[in-house]
Protein backbone atom coordinates (compact mmCIF):
# COMPACT_ATOMS: atom_id res chain seq x y z
CA UNK A 1 0.00 0.00 0.00
CA UNK A 2 1.26 3.48 -0.88
CA UNK A 3 2.50 5.73 1.90
CA UNK A 4 -0.33 8.10 0.96
CA UNK A 5 -2.73 5.67 2.67
CA UNK A 6 -2.95 6.99 6.25
CA UNK A 7 -4.76 4.34 8.29
CA UNK A 8 -5.02 6.44 11.44
CA UNK A 9 -6.55 9.36 9.55
CA UNK A 10 -9.05 7.07 7.84
CA UNK A 11 -10.06 5.64 11.21
CA UNK A 12 -10.69 9.17 12.47
CA UNK A 13 -12.65 9.97 9.31
CA UNK A 14 -14.92 6.94 9.65
CA UNK A 15 -15.50 7.74 13.32
CA UNK A 16 -16.39 11.35 12.47
CA UNK A 17 -18.78 10.30 9.70
CA UNK A 18 -20.49 7.69 11.84
CA UNK A 19 -21.11 10.10 14.71
CA UNK A 20 -22.20 13.06 12.55
CA UNK A 21 -25.62 12.16 11.14
CA UNK A 22 -26.75 15.81 11.06
CA UNK A 23 -25.13 19.25 10.74
CA UNK A 24 -25.66 19.79 14.49
CA UNK A 25 -23.83 16.61 15.37
CA UNK A 26 -21.04 17.39 12.89
CA UNK A 27 -20.62 20.89 14.31
CA UNK A 28 -20.60 19.55 17.87
CA UNK A 29 -17.99 16.94 17.01
CA UNK A 30 -15.77 19.51 15.29
CA UNK A 31 -16.10 21.84 18.28
CA UNK A 32 -15.09 19.06 20.65
CA UNK A 33 -11.93 18.36 18.62
CA UNK A 34 -11.08 22.05 18.49
CA UNK A 35 -11.43 22.45 22.25
CA UNK A 36 -9.29 19.39 22.81
CA UNK A 37 -6.62 21.06 20.66
CA UNK A 38 -6.77 24.27 22.72
CA UNK A 39 -9.18 26.42 20.71
CA UNK A 40 -11.28 28.75 22.85
CA UNK A 41 -15.03 28.94 22.30
CA UNK A 42 -16.50 32.38 21.57
CA UNK A 43 -20.18 33.30 21.93
CA UNK A 44 -21.52 35.63 19.27
CA UNK A 45 -23.81 37.37 21.78
CA UNK A 46 -20.87 38.37 23.97
CA UNK A 47 -17.93 40.74 23.55
CA UNK A 48 -14.80 39.15 22.15
CA UNK A 49 -11.33 39.66 23.54
CA UNK A 50 -8.94 38.33 20.90
CA UNK A 51 -5.20 37.92 21.43
CA UNK A 52 -2.58 37.52 18.67
CA UNK A 53 -1.20 33.99 18.54
CA UNK A 54 -4.33 32.45 20.07
CA UNK A 55 -6.92 30.10 18.52
CA UNK A 56 -10.71 30.44 18.69
CA UNK A 57 -13.97 29.14 17.29
CA UNK A 58 -17.63 30.15 17.17
CA UNK A 59 -20.81 28.41 16.06
CA UNK A 60 -24.09 29.68 14.67
CA UNK A 61 -27.40 27.83 14.88
CA UNK A 62 -25.41 24.92 16.27
CA UNK A 63 -25.01 23.74 12.66
CA UNK A 64 -22.24 25.99 11.29
CA UNK A 65 -18.79 26.63 12.71
CA UNK A 66 -15.86 28.97 12.13
CA UNK A 67 -12.47 28.23 13.69
CA UNK A 68 -9.50 30.54 13.34
CA UNK A 69 -5.94 30.95 14.47
CA UNK A 70 -4.38 34.39 14.79
CA UNK A 71 -0.72 35.00 13.95
CA UNK A 72 1.54 36.20 16.73
CA UNK A 73 2.79 38.94 14.41
CA UNK A 74 0.88 41.38 12.19
CA UNK A 75 -2.29 40.10 10.55
CA UNK A 76 -1.77 40.72 6.84
CA UNK A 77 -3.86 38.00 5.21
CA UNK A 78 -5.91 34.93 6.02
CA UNK A 79 -5.65 31.45 4.57
CA UNK A 80 -9.28 30.31 4.50
CA UNK A 81 -10.81 26.87 3.94
CA UNK A 82 -14.54 26.54 3.33
CA UNK A 83 -16.87 23.53 3.45
CA UNK A 84 -20.45 22.74 4.42
CA UNK A 85 -22.00 20.54 7.10
CA UNK A 86 -25.30 19.59 5.44
CA UNK A 87 -26.14 16.73 3.08
CA UNK A 88 -29.26 15.84 1.06
CA UNK A 89 -31.77 13.66 2.87
CA UNK A 90 -35.32 12.98 4.01
CA UNK A 91 -36.47 15.30 6.80
CA UNK A 92 -39.59 14.91 8.91
CA UNK A 93 -42.59 17.14 8.39
CA UNK A 94 -43.87 18.92 11.53
CA UNK A 95 -47.04 16.77 11.68
CA UNK A 96 -45.31 13.62 10.53
CA UNK A 97 -47.61 10.88 11.84
CA UNK A 98 -49.46 8.94 9.16
CA UNK A 99 -50.90 5.44 8.98
CA UNK A 100 -51.45 3.01 6.17
CA UNK A 101 -52.24 -0.71 6.10
CA UNK A 102 -51.82 -0.93 9.87
CA UNK A 103 -48.36 0.68 9.93
CA UNK A 104 -47.12 3.87 11.55
CA UNK A 105 -45.24 5.88 8.96
CA UNK A 106 -43.67 9.32 9.08
CA UNK A 107 -44.18 11.88 6.35
CA UNK A 108 -41.00 13.37 4.93
CA UNK A 109 -39.92 16.36 2.93
CA UNK A 110 -36.93 16.24 0.60
CA UNK A 111 -33.89 18.28 1.66
CA UNK A 112 -31.61 19.12 -1.25
CA UNK A 113 -31.10 17.17 -4.47
CA UNK A 114 -31.59 13.68 -3.08
CA UNK A 115 -30.91 10.62 -5.22
CA UNK A 116 -34.06 8.85 -4.04
CA UNK A 117 -33.75 5.28 -5.35
CA UNK A 118 -30.89 4.21 -3.01
CA UNK A 119 -33.06 5.04 0.02
CA UNK A 120 -35.20 1.93 -0.49
CA UNK A 121 -34.58 -1.12 1.72
CA UNK A 122 -32.02 0.62 3.97
CA UNK A 123 -31.76 0.41 7.75
CA UNK A 124 -32.72 3.91 8.82
CA UNK A 125 -32.02 5.77 12.04
CA UNK A 126 -33.34 9.18 13.04
CA UNK A 127 -31.35 12.20 14.23
CA UNK A 128 -31.52 15.95 14.68
CA UNK A 129 -32.38 18.42 17.41
CA UNK A 130 -35.46 18.59 19.62
CA UNK A 131 -36.75 21.48 21.70
CA UNK A 132 -38.55 20.56 24.91
CA UNK A 133 -40.38 22.48 27.62
CA UNK A 134 -39.78 21.48 31.23
CA UNK A 135 -42.46 21.54 33.91
CA UNK A 136 -41.15 24.92 35.13
CA UNK A 137 -41.60 26.42 31.65
CA UNK A 138 -37.92 26.37 30.72
CA UNK A 139 -37.10 25.58 27.10
CA UNK A 140 -34.15 23.34 26.28
CA UNK A 141 -32.60 22.21 23.01
CA UNK A 142 -31.05 18.73 22.86
CA UNK A 143 -29.53 16.59 20.16
CA UNK A 144 -31.12 13.25 19.38
CA UNK A 145 -29.51 10.34 17.58
CA UNK A 146 -31.46 7.10 17.36
CA UNK A 147 -28.56 5.18 15.82
CA UNK A 148 -30.27 1.87 15.20
CA UNK A 149 -32.56 0.52 12.49
CA UNK A 150 -35.97 1.88 13.51
CA UNK A 151 -37.39 2.41 10.02
CA UNK A 152 -37.13 1.55 6.34
CA UNK A 153 -38.67 2.42 2.98
CA UNK A 154 -39.61 -0.96 1.44
CA UNK A 155 -39.37 -1.45 -2.31
CA UNK A 156 -42.30 -2.62 -4.36
CA UNK A 157 -41.72 -6.18 -5.62
CA UNK A 158 -40.83 -6.51 -9.29
CA UNK A 159 -43.84 -8.82 -9.70
CA UNK A 160 -46.07 -5.80 -9.03
CA UNK A 161 -44.13 -3.45 -11.30
CA UNK A 162 -42.55 -5.37 -14.18
CA UNK A 163 -41.24 -2.17 -15.80
CA UNK A 164 -39.37 -0.87 -12.76
CA UNK A 165 -35.90 -1.63 -14.13
CA UNK A 166 -36.68 0.55 -17.12
CA UNK A 167 -36.82 3.50 -14.77
CA UNK A 168 -39.83 5.22 -13.26
CA UNK A 169 -40.34 8.51 -11.43
CA UNK A 170 -40.48 8.39 -7.63
CA UNK A 171 -43.03 10.45 -5.75
CA UNK A 172 -41.61 11.62 -2.39
CA UNK A 173 -45.08 12.53 -1.13
CA UNK A 174 -46.65 9.10 -1.65
CA UNK A 175 -43.80 6.59 -2.07
CA UNK A 176 -40.97 7.60 0.29
CA UNK A 177 -42.56 7.56 3.75
CA UNK A 178 -40.58 5.18 6.00
CA UNK A 179 -42.43 2.57 8.07
CA UNK A 180 -41.63 2.42 11.79
CA UNK A 181 -43.93 -0.01 13.54
CA UNK A 182 -47.03 -2.13 13.10
CA UNK A 183 -49.58 -0.23 15.16
CA UNK A 184 -52.92 1.52 14.88
CA UNK A 185 -52.36 4.00 17.71
CA UNK A 186 -48.61 4.63 18.13
CA UNK A 187 -47.49 8.25 17.78
CA UNK A 188 -44.21 9.96 17.10
CA UNK A 189 -44.62 12.03 20.27
CA UNK A 190 -44.60 8.86 22.39
CA UNK A 191 -41.50 7.58 20.61
CA UNK A 192 -39.71 10.90 21.06
CA UNK A 193 -40.52 10.85 24.77
CA UNK A 194 -39.04 7.36 25.02
CA UNK A 195 -35.87 8.29 23.14
CA UNK A 196 -35.37 11.54 25.07
CA UNK A 197 -35.56 9.67 28.35
CA UNK A 198 -33.24 6.98 27.02
CA UNK A 199 -30.58 9.42 25.76
CA UNK A 200 -30.91 12.41 28.08
CA UNK A 201 -32.82 11.17 31.11
CA UNK A 202 -35.60 13.66 30.35
CA UNK A 203 -38.98 12.87 31.87
CA UNK A 204 -42.21 14.85 32.00
CA UNK A 205 -41.13 17.22 29.25
CA UNK A 206 -43.21 18.50 26.35
CA UNK A 207 -41.80 18.34 22.83
CA UNK A 208 -42.32 21.84 21.47
CA UNK A 209 -40.53 21.56 18.11
CA UNK A 210 -37.95 19.51 16.26
CA UNK A 211 -35.76 19.26 13.17
CA UNK A 212 -35.21 15.57 12.47
CA UNK A 213 -34.16 13.49 9.52
CA UNK A 214 -33.62 9.86 8.61
CA UNK A 215 -30.20 8.46 7.81
CA UNK A 216 -28.59 5.13 6.91
CA UNK A 217 -27.13 3.48 10.01
CA UNK A 218 -24.74 1.29 8.00
CA UNK A 219 -21.33 2.44 9.24
CA UNK A 220 -18.61 3.77 6.94
CA UNK A 221 -16.28 1.17 5.51
CA UNK A 222 -13.10 0.80 3.49
CA UNK A 223 -13.86 -1.03 0.24
CA UNK A 224 -11.77 -2.74 -2.41
CA UNK A 225 -9.19 -5.51 -2.45
CA UNK A 226 -6.55 -3.02 -1.32
CA UNK A 227 -9.03 -0.73 0.45
CA UNK A 228 -8.78 1.88 -2.26
CA UNK A 229 -12.22 3.30 -1.46
CA UNK A 230 -14.09 4.74 1.49
CA UNK A 231 -17.88 4.33 1.38
CA UNK A 232 -20.23 6.23 3.65
CA UNK A 233 -23.23 8.47 3.91
CA UNK A 234 -22.62 12.23 3.83
CA UNK A 235 -19.17 12.22 2.20
CA UNK A 236 -20.59 15.28 0.45
CA UNK A 237 -19.53 17.29 2.31
CA UNK A 238 -18.43 16.03 5.73
CA UNK A 239 -15.32 14.67 4.02
CA UNK A 240 -14.25 18.27 3.32
CA UNK A 241 -15.15 19.34 6.86
CA UNK A 242 -12.96 16.56 8.22
CA UNK A 243 -10.02 17.25 5.92
CA UNK A 244 -10.20 20.99 6.59
CA UNK A 245 -10.17 20.38 10.33
CA UNK A 246 -7.28 17.92 10.06
CA UNK A 247 -5.28 20.51 8.12
CA UNK A 248 -6.03 23.28 10.62
CA UNK A 249 -4.97 21.09 13.54
CA UNK A 250 -1.83 19.91 11.72
CA UNK A 251 -0.53 23.29 10.48
CA UNK A 252 2.31 25.09 12.23
CA UNK A 253 0.14 27.98 13.44
CA UNK A 254 2.40 30.76 12.16
CA UNK A 255 -0.12 32.21 9.72
CA UNK A 256 -3.62 33.60 10.05
CA UNK A 257 -5.96 30.73 9.21
CA UNK A 258 -9.74 30.25 9.07
CA UNK A 259 -11.90 27.15 8.66
CA UNK A 260 -15.57 27.83 7.94
CA UNK A 261 -18.16 25.06 7.64
CA UNK A 262 -21.52 26.52 6.67
CA UNK A 263 -24.95 24.91 6.76
CA UNK A 264 -27.65 24.88 4.03
CA UNK A 265 -25.37 24.62 0.99
CA UNK A 266 -27.55 21.85 -0.44
CA UNK A 267 -30.57 24.19 -0.54
CA UNK A 268 -28.88 27.34 -1.81
CA UNK A 269 -26.96 28.71 1.20
CA UNK A 270 -29.48 31.53 1.78
CA UNK A 271 -29.68 31.49 5.57
CA UNK A 272 -28.08 33.15 8.59
CA UNK A 273 -25.67 30.20 8.91
CA UNK A 274 -25.28 29.57 5.17
CA UNK A 275 -22.54 30.88 2.90
CA UNK A 276 -24.85 33.58 1.57
CA UNK A 277 -25.47 34.77 5.13
CA UNK A 278 -23.25 37.10 7.20
CA UNK A 279 -21.56 34.57 9.52
CA UNK A 280 -18.10 34.68 7.97
CA UNK A 281 -18.25 38.43 7.35
CA UNK A 282 -19.24 39.03 10.97
CA UNK A 283 -16.27 37.03 12.23
CA UNK A 284 -13.83 38.76 9.88
CA UNK A 285 -15.07 42.19 10.98
CA UNK A 286 -14.46 41.31 14.62
CA UNK A 287 -11.01 39.92 13.86
CA UNK A 288 -10.06 43.04 11.92
CA UNK A 289 -11.39 45.34 14.62
CA UNK A 290 -9.35 43.71 17.38
CA UNK A 291 -6.12 42.35 15.89
CA UNK A 292 -6.13 43.93 12.44
CA UNK A 293 -5.78 47.59 11.54
CA UNK A 294 -9.46 48.30 12.20
CA UNK A 295 -11.85 50.24 10.02
CA UNK A 296 -13.69 49.49 6.80
CA UNK A 297 -10.78 50.18 4.47
CA UNK A 298 -8.48 47.89 6.46
CA UNK A 299 -11.12 45.14 6.30
CA UNK A 300 -11.19 45.37 2.51
CA UNK A 301 -7.40 45.23 2.45
CA UNK A 302 -7.42 42.16 4.70
CA UNK A 303 -9.97 40.36 2.52
CA UNK A 304 -8.13 41.17 -0.70
CA UNK A 305 -4.89 39.91 0.86
CA UNK A 306 -6.54 36.59 1.75
CA UNK A 307 -7.50 33.46 -0.20
CA UNK A 308 -10.42 31.07 0.20
CA UNK A 309 -10.15 27.43 -0.83
CA UNK A 310 -13.72 26.19 -1.11
CA UNK A 311 -13.71 22.41 -0.65
CA UNK A 312 -16.61 20.38 -1.96
CA UNK A 313 -16.43 17.01 -3.66
CA UNK A 314 -16.17 16.58 -7.43
CA UNK A 315 -17.67 14.04 -9.81
CA UNK A 316 -15.16 11.23 -10.42
CA UNK A 317 -14.96 9.45 -13.75
CA UNK A 318 -17.40 6.54 -13.45
CA UNK A 319 -16.23 3.29 -15.08
CA UNK A 320 -19.78 2.40 -16.16
CA UNK A 321 -20.73 5.90 -17.40
CA UNK A 322 -17.60 7.29 -18.99
CA UNK A 323 -19.66 9.23 -21.53
CA UNK A 324 -20.97 11.53 -18.76
CA UNK A 325 -17.57 13.26 -18.58
CA UNK A 326 -15.54 15.39 -20.93
CA UNK A 327 -12.87 12.90 -21.99
CA UNK A 328 -10.04 15.24 -20.96
CA UNK A 329 -11.59 16.37 -17.67
CA UNK A 330 -12.73 13.21 -15.92
CA UNK A 331 -10.96 13.18 -12.55
CA UNK A 332 -9.82 9.79 -11.30
CA UNK A 333 -10.44 8.54 -7.79
CA UNK A 334 -7.12 8.54 -5.91
CA UNK A 335 -5.70 10.91 -8.51
CA UNK A 336 -5.35 13.87 -6.15
CA UNK A 337 -7.38 17.02 -5.42
CA UNK A 338 -9.60 18.29 -8.21
CA UNK A 339 -9.68 21.92 -9.34
CA UNK A 340 -13.22 22.72 -10.49
CA UNK A 341 -13.60 25.17 -13.37
CA UNK A 342 -16.67 26.66 -15.02
CA UNK A 343 -16.71 29.57 -17.48
CA UNK A 344 -20.20 30.60 -16.31
CA UNK A 345 -18.91 31.08 -12.75
CA UNK A 346 -20.69 28.12 -11.22
CA UNK A 347 -17.28 27.61 -9.64
CA UNK A 348 -15.16 30.52 -8.41
CA UNK A 349 -11.82 29.28 -9.78
CA UNK A 350 -9.83 31.59 -12.03
CA UNK A 351 -6.33 31.29 -13.45
CA UNK A 352 -4.80 33.24 -10.55
CA UNK A 353 -6.27 31.08 -7.79
CA UNK A 354 -5.86 27.93 -9.87
CA UNK A 355 -2.16 28.62 -10.41
CA UNK A 356 -1.60 29.23 -6.70
CA UNK A 357 -3.31 25.96 -5.73
CA UNK A 358 -1.29 24.03 -8.30
CA UNK A 359 1.83 25.53 -6.76
CA UNK A 360 0.67 24.49 -3.29
CA UNK A 361 0.15 20.92 -4.51
CA UNK A 362 3.60 20.96 -6.12
CA UNK A 363 5.17 22.02 -2.83
CA UNK A 364 3.24 19.33 -0.96
CA UNK A 365 4.19 16.62 -3.47
CA UNK A 366 0.53 15.98 -4.27
CA UNK A 367 -0.96 15.25 -7.72
CA UNK A 368 -3.69 17.60 -8.93
CA UNK A 369 -6.52 17.23 -11.45
CA UNK A 370 -9.11 19.38 -13.23
CA UNK A 371 -12.86 18.99 -13.66
CA UNK A 372 -14.96 20.73 -16.27
CA UNK A 373 -18.44 19.49 -17.00
CA UNK A 374 -19.39 18.50 -20.55
CA UNK A 375 -20.37 21.53 -22.63
CA UNK A 376 -23.77 19.94 -23.31
CA UNK A 377 -24.60 19.33 -19.63
CA UNK A 378 -25.53 21.59 -16.74
CA UNK A 379 -23.13 22.26 -13.90
CA UNK A 380 -23.73 22.23 -10.16
CA UNK A 381 -22.30 24.80 -7.80
CA UNK A 382 -21.09 25.19 -4.23
CA UNK A 383 -20.19 27.76 -1.58
CA UNK A 384 -17.20 29.08 -3.54
CA UNK A 385 -19.01 31.50 -5.89
CA UNK A 386 -21.36 32.56 -3.09
CA UNK A 387 -18.51 33.35 -0.69
CA UNK A 388 -16.60 35.17 -3.42
CA UNK A 389 -19.69 37.21 -4.27
CA UNK A 390 -20.57 38.07 -0.68
CA UNK A 391 -17.04 38.89 0.51
CA UNK A 392 -15.06 39.64 -2.62
CA UNK A 393 -12.32 37.29 -1.43
CA UNK A 394 -10.17 35.56 -4.11
CA UNK A 395 -11.49 31.99 -4.21
CA UNK A 396 -10.82 28.61 -5.78
CA UNK A 397 -13.14 25.60 -5.82
CA UNK A 398 -11.48 22.24 -5.24
CA UNK A 399 -12.54 18.86 -3.91
CA UNK A 400 -12.03 15.14 -3.69
CA UNK A 401 -13.34 13.05 -6.58
CA UNK A 402 -16.25 10.80 -5.64
CA UNK A 403 -18.93 8.55 -7.08
CA UNK A 404 -22.68 8.57 -6.36
CA UNK A 405 -22.92 12.18 -5.20
CA UNK A 406 -26.18 12.79 -3.26
CA UNK A 407 -26.82 9.08 -2.81
CA UNK A 408 -27.55 7.66 0.62
CA UNK A 409 -24.09 6.06 0.37
CA UNK A 410 -21.26 7.72 -1.51
CA UNK A 411 -17.76 6.58 -2.45
CA UNK A 412 -14.38 8.33 -2.56
CA UNK A 413 -10.70 7.36 -2.66
CA UNK A 414 -8.70 6.62 0.49
CA UNK A 415 -5.50 8.11 -0.93
CA UNK A 416 -7.29 11.32 -1.84
CA UNK A 417 -8.12 11.95 1.80
CA UNK A 418 -4.42 12.16 2.53
CA UNK A 419 -3.61 14.09 -0.65
CA UNK A 420 -6.06 16.89 0.11
CA UNK A 421 -5.05 17.04 3.77
CA UNK A 422 -1.40 17.48 2.80
CA UNK A 423 -2.27 20.15 0.24
CA UNK A 424 -4.45 22.14 2.65
CA UNK A 425 -1.86 21.90 5.42
CA UNK A 426 0.78 23.24 3.04
CA UNK A 427 -1.61 26.06 2.09
CA UNK A 428 -2.12 27.04 5.74
CA UNK A 429 1.66 27.02 6.30
CA UNK A 430 2.43 29.01 3.16
CA UNK A 431 4.25 32.30 3.74
CA UNK A 432 2.90 34.17 0.72
CA UNK A 433 -0.55 34.05 -0.90
CA UNK A 434 0.74 34.87 -4.36
Amino acid sequence: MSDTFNADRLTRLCDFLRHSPTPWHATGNMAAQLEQAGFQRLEEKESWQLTPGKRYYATRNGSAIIAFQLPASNLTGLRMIGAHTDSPGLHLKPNADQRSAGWLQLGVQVYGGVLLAPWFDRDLGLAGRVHVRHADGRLESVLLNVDRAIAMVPSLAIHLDREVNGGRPLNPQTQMSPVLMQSDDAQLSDLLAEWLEEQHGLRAVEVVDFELGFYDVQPPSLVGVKQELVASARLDNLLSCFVGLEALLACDGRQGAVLVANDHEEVGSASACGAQGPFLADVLKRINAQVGKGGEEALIQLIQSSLMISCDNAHALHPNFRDKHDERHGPAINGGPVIKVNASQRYATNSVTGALFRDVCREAGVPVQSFVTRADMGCGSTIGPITATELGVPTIDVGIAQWAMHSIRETAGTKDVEYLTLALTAFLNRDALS
Side-chain angles (χ1 to χ4, degrees):
M1 183 61 63
S2 167
D3 59 2
T4 55
F5 183 102
N6 188 317
D8 290 339
R9 198 184 310 280
L10 291 171
T11 297
R12 292 196 298 273
L13 169 63
C14 290
D15 185 65
F16 175 67
L17 292 166
R18 183 171 186 176
H19 294 99
S20 301
T22 74
W24 301 285
H25 290 85
T27 297
N29 290 331
M30 293 174 72
Q33 291 184 58
L34 289 165
E35 290 197 3
Q36 188 175 18
F39 282 71
Q40 178 183 335
R41 183 182 181 95
L42 299 169
E43 299 294 341
E44 287 197 279
K45 296 179 181 179
E46 299 175 359
S47 297
W48 289 7
Q49 301 297 324
L50 304 180
T51 303
K54 299 295 185 180
R55 300 182 293 177
Y56 305 90
Y57 78 93
T59 66
R60 181 172 287 187
N61 187 47
S63 62
I65 188 167
I66 295 177
F68 57 94
Q69 66 182 28
L70 301 174
S73 57
N74 293 335
L75 178 64
T76 57
L78 292 167
R79 292 131 188 85
M80 295 191 277
I81 299 171
H84 64 87
T85 59
D86 62 320
S87 301
L90 300 180
H91 291 196
L92 292 194
K93 295 179 178 179
N95 301 314
D97 294 57
Q98 59 188 54
R99 290 172 180 79
S100 180
W103 286 88
L104 172 66
Q105 296 178 275
L106 296 180
V108 296
Q109 51 185 333
V110 173
Y111 179 87
V114 181
L115 191 61
L116 289 174
W119 279 77
F120 286 94
D121 307 316
R122 295 278 184 167
D123 295 345
L124 301 180
L126 186 71
R129 67 176 176 181
V130 181
H131 301 269
V132 300
R133 180 184 292 115
H134 292 264
D136 60 3
R138 175 173 54 91
L139 291 175
E140 182 183 7
S141 175
V142 297
L143 295 187
L144 183 70
N145 182 13
V146 188
D147 58 350
R148 57 184 183 271
I150 61 167
M152 69 178 303
V153 184
S155 293
L156 181 65
I158 193 170
H159 313 77
L160 304 179
D161 186 359
R162 295 287 185 180
E163 307 303 317
V164 64
N165 286 332
R168 61 175 169 81
L170 296 173
N171 188 321
Q173 175 68 23
T174 62
Q175 297 173 333
M176 297 302 300
S177 297
V179 296
L180 276 81
M181 62 187 301
Q182 199 165 21
S183 173
D184 291 323
D185 55 7
Q187 298 182 27
L188 174 61
S189 58
D190 296 331
L191 295 174
L192 289 177
E194 176 185 328
W195 295 327
L196 289 169
E197 181 176 354
E198 174 186 299
Q199 295 189 21
H200 296 284
L202 294 174
R203 298 184 179 89
V205 294
E206 175 190 358
V207 174
V208 180
D209 211 338
F210 58 76
E211 294 172 89
L212 296 167
F214 288 103
Y215 73 97
D216 186 3
V217 298
Q218 182 181 1
S221 61
L222 302 184
V223 178
V225 173
K226 296 185 178 180
Q227 296 187 322
E228 300 96 330
L229 303 170
V230 54
S232 175
R234 303 176 299 282
L235 289 181
D236 176 20
N237 189 30
L238 292 187
L239 181 50
S240 298
C241 292
F242 172 82
V243 170
L245 182 59
E246 288 276 300
L248 181 62
L249 297 179
C251 72
D252 59 27
R254 294 181 299 109
Q255 310 294 345
V258 175
L259 171 64
V260 52
N262 290 112
D263 195 0
H264 299 141
E265 188 274 347
E266 298 293 357
V267 291
S269 295
S271 71
C273 52
Q276 194 174 337
F279 188 22
L280 180 56
D282 288 347
V283 171
L284 295 181
K285 289 175 184 176
R286 297 174 91 159
I287 292 174
N288 177 63
Q290 292 203 26
V291 298
K293 296 179 181 179
E296 194 169 319
E297 183 173 354
L299 177 63
I300 295 172
Q301 292 173 338
L302 175 62
I303 290 173
Q304 291 306 310
S305 300
S306 302
L307 178 70
M308 165 68 78
I309 297 183
S310 165
C311 294
D312 201 352
N313 296 353
H315 298 293
L317 182 63
H318 195 302
N320 296 337
F321 299 93
R322 294 176 61 90
D323 61 327
K324 296 299 182 181
H325 279 80
D326 182 298
E327 63 181 11
R328 295 180 60 83
H329 299 91
I333 279 182
N334 288 321
V338 180
I339 297 175
K340 300 191 285 186
V341 179
N342 182 259
S344 297
Q345 298 302 295
R346 300 292 288 170
Y347 301 127
T349 305
N350 59 35
S351 59
V352 174
T353 58
L356 190 145
F357 186 74
R358 290 181 187 277
D359 204 44
V360 167
C361 290
R362 178 190 60 80
E363 292 176 355
V366 168
V368 64
Q369 310 179 82
S370 296
F371 170 74
V372 180
T373 192
R374 286 175 55 108
D376 56 359
M377 295 177 65
C379 179
S381 191
T382 182
I383 66 169
I386 296 171
T387 303
T389 300
E390 293 296 320
L391 285 182
V393 63
T395 303
I396 181 172
D397 277 299
V398 307
I400 288 176
Q402 72 158 90
W403 293 325
M405 190 175 291
H406 290 193
S407 176
I408 197 172
R409 193 166 180 85
E410 302 167 320
T411 308
T414 49
K415 293 181 183 179
D416 284 332
V417 177
E418 188 69 7
Y419 285 145
L420 185 57
T421 304
L422 293 173
L424 294 182
T425 304
F427 165 66
L428 296 181
N429 290 338
R430 190 180 174 97
D431 289 329
L433 291 179
S434 61

